C-alpha cells in the first residue's frame, strides 16, 4: 500500500505481478479494537453529559451493560468471526455514528420529546435488541459446543453395548 502511495506521488507504475492484499482481520484484533472502541464510546458519552437527554443516556448505559460482558466472554471463550465483526461494527460504527450526528444537531433539536431524539431512541432500541441477540447466539454456540463435547465423551468412554454370545 505504501508503495502504491509513493508510486502515485512520483508517477511510478505499480509493479506487475505483485498484488496487494489487505491483511486478514484476526479474532484478537477485532476484539481488541472493539474493547478500545467501547472504552472510547463510554468516555464520549460521559463527555456529552447534559447534551444527551436522560432517556438516550440510559439506553446507552443499557447497551454498554450488554456489550461489556459479551466482549469479555468472547475474549475468554471465543466466538465466530461473524459474531466478532458484528460486535465490532456495533461498537465502532452503529452506535458512535448516529450519536455524533445527533450531537451535531442544535440544542433545540435534542430535547427529550423531539423527533430526532425519538428517532435516535428507536435506533438504539434496535441496537440493544441486536446486542442481546448476539449475546444469546454466543451463549447458544457455547452450549452447543459443550453438548457436542459431552456426546463425544459419552461415546468414547461409555461402556460398550457389544456382548459376546455364548457367555
Amino acid at each position: 500500500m505504501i508503495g502504491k502511495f509513493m508510486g502515485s506521488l512520483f508517477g511510478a507504475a505499480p509493479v506487475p505481478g505483485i498484488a496487494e492484499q489487505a491483511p486478514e482481520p484476526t479474532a484478537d484484533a477485532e476484539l481488541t479494537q472493539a474493547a478500545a472502541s467501547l472504552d472510547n464510546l463510554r468516555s464520549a458519552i460521559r463527555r456529552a453529559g447534559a447534551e444527551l437527554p436522560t432517556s438516550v443516556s440510559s439506553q446507552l448505559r443499557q447497551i454498554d451493560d450488554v456489550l461489556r460482558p459479551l466482549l469479555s466472554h468472547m475474549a475468554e471463550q471465543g466466538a465466530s468471526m461473524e459474531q466478532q465483526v458484528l460486535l465490532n461494527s456495533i461498537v465502532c460504527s452503529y452506535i458512535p455514528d448516529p450519536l455524533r450526528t445527533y450531537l451535531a444537531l442544535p440544542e433545540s433539536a435534542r430535547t427529550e420529546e423531539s423527533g430526532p431524539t425519538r428517532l435516535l431512541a428507536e435506533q438504539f432500541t434496535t441496537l440493544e435488541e441486536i446486542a442481546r441477540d448476539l449475546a444469546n447466539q454466543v451463549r447458544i454456540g457455547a452450549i452447543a459446543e459443550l453438548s457436542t463435547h459431552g456426546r463425544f465423551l459419552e461415546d468414547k468412554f461409555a461402556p460398550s453395548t457389544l456382548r459376546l454370545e455364548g457367555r
Side-chain angles (χ1 to χ4, degrees):
M1 179 147 354
I2 293 173
K4 185 182 273 186
F5 172 73
M6 295 301 285
S8 69
L9 285 177
F10 301 107
V15 179
I18 299 179
E20 291 191 30
Q21 285 185 318
E24 288 291 318
T26 64
D28 290 340
E30 287 288 335
L31 293 177
T32 301
Q33 182 181 11
S37 294
L38 194 55
D39 289 339
N40 291 339
L41 185 59
R42 180 183 270 182
S43 297
I45 293 165
R46 287 183 179 155
R47 277 193 311 273
E51 296 180 55
L52 290 173
T54 306
S55 61
V56 172
S57 293
S58 176
Q59 277 187 301
L60 289 168
R61 284 191 300 275
Q62 289 173 347
I63 293 170
D64 185 67
D65 287 347
V66 172
L67 294 177
R68 213 162 274 284
L70 175 60
L71 184 62
S72 296
H73 177 76
M74 289 171 80
E76 292 172 9
Q77 304 297 321
S80 72
M81 184 56 101
E82 292 83 9
Q83 292 167 333
Q84 293 173 28
V85 168
L86 177 57
L87 175 67
N88 196 33
S89 295
I90 290 171
V91 173
C92 296
S93 179
Y94 300 159
I95 295 173
D97 291 350
L99 182 60
R100 256 191 306 277
T101 302
Y102 179 80
L103 290 171
L105 295 173
E107 189 174 334
S108 61
R110 290 185 272 125
T111 64
E112 197 72 49
E113 299 83 24
S114 71
T117 300
R118 283 193 302 275
L119 180 60
L120 185 67
E122 288 173 17
Q123 291 174 354
F124 285 160
T125 298
T126 301
L127 284 173
E128 183 179 358
E129 290 171 6
I130 291 169
R132 289 187 188 282
D133 286 346
L134 177 61
N136 192 39
Q137 287 176 10
V138 170
R139 279 193 296 274
I140 287 172
I143 291 168
E145 186 176 335
L146 185 60
S147 176
T148 301
H149 286 297
R151 284 193 304 272
F152 167 76
L153 291 173
E154 186 177 306
D155 289 345
K156 180 123 176 115
F157 297 109
S160 176
T161 58
L162 297 176
R163 302 282 181 240
L164 292 176
E165 300 233 2
R167 290 197 179 192

